[in-house]
Amino acid sequence: MTVAPTLAVASLRLDLGHTPILRGVDIDVMPGEVHGLVGESGAGKTMVGKAVLGIAPAGARIRSGSMTFLREDLIAMPERRRRDLLGRQIALIPQDPMTGLNPVLRIDRQMTDPLRLHLGLDRPAAAAKALDLLHQVRIREPERVLRQYPHELSGGMRQRVLIAMAFSCRPQLIVADEPTTALDVTVQRQILRLIKELQETAGTAILFITHDLGVVSKICDRVSVIHSGRILESAGVADLFDFPQHDYTRALMRATPRYDRPGDLLQPVPADLTARLIAEAEALDA
Amino acid sequence: MADRRGALVSAASDARVLFGAAVLLALIVAAAAAPLLAPHDPLEQDLLASFLPPAFQAGADPVFPLGTDSLGRDLLSRLIYGARVALTVALVAASLAALLGTALGLIAGYFGGWVDAVISRLVDVWMAFPPVLLSIVLVAIIGAGLHSVIIAIVIIDWTRFCRVVRAEVLVQREQDYVASAVTIGLGRWRILWHEILPNLLPLLLVLITLEMGIAIIVEAILSFVGLSVSSDQATWGGLIQEGRLYIHQAWWIMVLPMACIIVSVLGLNALGDGLRRTLDPVMRR
Ligand SMILES: Nc1ncnc2c1ncn2[C@@H]1O[C@H](COP(=O)(O)OP(=O)(O)O)[C@@H](O)[C@H]1O
Ligand SMILES: [Mg+2]
């Protein structure tokens, strides 16, 4: 393969204090690809995203492995370089649109700050660009929204603002951490469509974190399945659904409602499978 | 700023906030317009008119509505000018203590590590001293006077701001909006100053109000022990000290300034508590 991955995570092991959280994570996100990271709550999905962005909580320590962004080492990267990349080349769409925006600052301030910082726009140009971005994410009355505070917007509107911000500097990579989980189902569908559309237009690579295989099937090109901080299986999205290799992937599918077969009974992931996976994962800690 | 405006509207409908705001307004008016409001020069003595009772008592002289002191000075005028000293000390000392304490609290809370350890230990040690004793000793060392009183209050009470601000920064910095700010590529000082500090403003407003009440008491105590402004200038604490000597002859000289202090402090506390209750839900949501 000649094309370098936009993001390459290899054998990443990360402890929080003395607790292993990630136990060998391998993910390659190729340019223009939406790469799903799917797993149950507590699997370590958010921690992967935070490690990539360099915002892991205090006490987190990378034990081994590597992370590169366009061949550039993310782990040894100096703080200044990281600050320059974040927001410009690498962006985040956070999980919770309620808390991802600063409650006491107007939307225009929050949208124009990164534009001025990274694109060097002056105030009027940044304001014009912010307005344009809000149009792109199809927010009604964008002039008004710019003057508002986050609590005056609905959850879906806030998520649109955060999406607009994430795409605003045309980043190469976006980490989207459960961007639709906090939203209700109809809004969720619109937001997914919006992300996909912007992503295709801009050719952005996305690491798309979710616990929902249904969401994966709608937006992802490739998927990695994670459990207890381990990647169990990685495949193209069609292959994964047609020929799941790992027991856990199959169990996860049986636990996910399917739009094409709404009558199917859902089965939770069997406890003995979970116990086996945890035992396997802990065997790696020695 | 609709939610804060909304919060201020609901704050204004709170009886305690209304009472507190009225007291603060009265203090401000008295202090600002003292020369206009005071019927007499507060220093003008009239030995023939000494110990006159307030107007509602027998033997009063309507020229002195709240009576006179031992030297025949008009008590109302002295109380009004006393408000000037009290409010000046309260505003300046509370603002400066807020400035110092907030700066250190922000740094300690946000940067953590050894910086936090040093500042937090300093606060612990500082708070181990009894505050009133400390202020008396301090003013005795740096000399009496209005600026000494203010310095003493700031040196003692910055810790109140530092502790609360540090704790609140610890809460705020874990919020997602801070992580968002980091992932936008904003620098640490910028995040602290432009993102976190605005979230602390309602809290600071409450703390400053409460601190003003404390400053009024400290100033009165220092005046009482003669360590505040020069003794011929009218202060509430000075009046209490003077009135104490004549309590059996002329109760009003001591009781009226005490009433001024009590009402002011109650008012400022009510205002602070009321603001805290109404602003908190906005902050924590
Ligand atoms: N700040 C934290 N302090 C302690 N444990 C944490 C913290 N963040 C995450 N963890 C632990 O790390 C593991 C992975 O968490 P996370 O990455 O949030 O999972 P996911 O996003 O897949 O639900 C969980 O077991 C969780 O308990
Ligand atoms: Mg998560």
Side-chain angles (χ1 to χ4, degrees), chain A residues 132-194:
Chain A
D132 183 45
L133 287 163
L134 288 185
H135 275 295
Q136 280 178 39
V137 295
R138 289 193 287 280
I139 280 187
R140 258 167 290 155
E141 300 185 74
E143 294 88 353
R144 202 163 70 94
V145 168
L146 278 178
R147 288 193 306 271
Q148 286 179 311
Y149 288 88
H151 68 93
E152 298 174 88
L153 308 178
S154 68
M157 295 250 275
R158 291 191 220 196
Q159 196 57 293
R160 282 173 197 268
V161 169
L162 286 162
I163 290 167
M165 287 171 68
F167 279 97
S168 64
C169 299
R170 296 217 150 216
Q172 305 274 340
L173 174 71
I174 290 180
V175 176
D177 189 355
E178 310 240 15
T180 60
T181 302
L183 305 173
D184 62 52
V185 183
T186 44
V187 180
Q188 192 169 351
R189 215 167 297 157
Q190 296 166 1
I191 296 288
L192 281 180
R193 220 177 293 141
L194 177 68

Side-chain angles (χ1 to χ4, degrees), chain B residues 14-32:
Chain B
D14 182 310
R16 294 191 307 167
V17 172
L18 277 182
F19 166 62
V23 169
L24 184 58
L25 190 68
L27 270 178
I28 291 172
V29 169

Side-chain angles (χ1 to χ4, degrees), chain A residues 16 21 39-48 50 57 177-178 209:
Chain A
L16 204 54
I21 304 290
E40 290 168 288
S41 173
K45 307 183 294 292
T46 295
M47 199 59 81
V48 172
K50 288 189 170 170
D177 189 355
E178 310 240 15
I209 295 171

Side-chain angles (χ1 to χ4, degrees), chain A residues 34-64:
Chain A
V34 180
H35 193 117
L37 179 60
V38 66
E40 290 168 288
S41 173
K45 307 183 294 292
T46 295
M47 199 59 81
V48 172
K50 288 189 170 170
V52 168
L53 294 162
I55 55 169
R61 199 168 57 88
I62 291 173
R63 278 175 54 189
S64 59

Side-chain angles (χ1 to χ4, degrees), chain B:
Chain B
M1 199 157 287
D3 75 333
R4 286 214 230 155
R5 207 179 294 137
L8 287 180
V9 169
S10 64
S13 60
D14 182 310
R16 294 191 307 167
V17 172
L18 277 182
F19 166 62
V23 169
L24 184 58
L25 190 68
L27 270 178
I28 291 172
V29 169
L36 298 176
L37 291 175
H40 296 267
D41 179 339
L43 302 179
E44 180 190 299
Q45 303 182 5
D46 181 354
L47 290 175
L48 296 177
S50 62
F51 297 122
L52 286 177
F56 50 83
Q57 277 206 328
D61 180 341
V63 175
F64 304 105
L66 291 181
T68 58
D69 68 2
S70 58
L71 298 176
R73 293 176 294 197
D74 177 45
L75 198 57
L76 177 60
S77 304
R78 288 181 77 71
L79 287 174
I80 290 174
Y81 275 88
R84 208 173 222 199
V85 175
L87 189 70
T88 308
V89 170
L91 274 177
V92 177
S95 308
L96 291 179
L99 213 62
L100 181 61
T102 303
L104 291 173
L106 283 174
I107 292 169
Y110 192 61
F111 291 99
W114 65 268
V115 182
D116 181 28
V118 169
I119 294 176
S120 294
R121 286 302 80 71
L122 189 64
V123 169
D124 289 344
V125 172
W126 219 264
M127 294 189 73
F129 292 105
V132 170
L133 202 61
L134 190 57
S135 57
I136 291 175
V137 172
L138 263 172
V139 174
I141 293 170
I142 50 186
L146 202 56
H147 63 283
S148 313
V149 174
I150 290 170
I151 291 171
I153 294 173
V154 171
I155 287 180
I156 290 157
D157 274 349
W158 65 273
T159 53
R160 291 173 193 276
F161 289 89
C162 188
R163 272 199 328 165
V164 178
V165 166
R166 172 184 171 273
E168 186 60 25
V169 171
L170 289 180
V171 173
Q172 293 290 332
R173 77 167 190 197
E174 297 307 319
Q175 303 294 307
D176 283 351
Y177 75 82
V178 175
S180 295
V182 174
T183 60
I184 281 167
L186 300 185
R188 302 217 280 179
W189 286 103
R190 172 136 184 195
I191 291 173
L192 187 56
W193 190 252
H194 288 289
E195 303 279 325
I196 294 182
L197 185 59
N199 279 285
L200 299 183
L201 288 182
L203 176 71
L204 284 173
L205 192 65
V206 171
L207 287 178
I208 288 175
T209 309
L210 296 175
E211 180 63 30
M212 284 173 64
I214 294 168
I216 286 181
I217 293 180
V218 172
E219 192 279 324
I221 291 172
L222 291 174
S223 300
F224 182 80
V225 298
L227 286 174
S228 183
V229 294
S230 64
S231 54
D232 56 347
Q233 200 173 332
T235 62
W236 292 346
L239 282 173
I240 294 173
Q241 156 65 13
E242 184 197 341
R244 196 174 58 94
L245 305 172
Y246 311 107
I247 184 69
H248 297 295
Q249 287 164 267
W251 57 266
W252 54 91
I253 304 177
M254 176 162 156
V255 169
L256 292 179
M258 282 176 82
C260 287
I261 292 173
I262 291 170
V263 171
S264 305
V265 173
L266 279 179
L268 288 167
N269 283 353
L271 185 61
D273 276 346
L275 287 176
R276 166 155 52 203
R277 278 193 319 168
T278 41
L279 292 174
D280 249 11
V282 178
M283 297 276 311
R284 313 267 169 214
R285 201 175 21 101

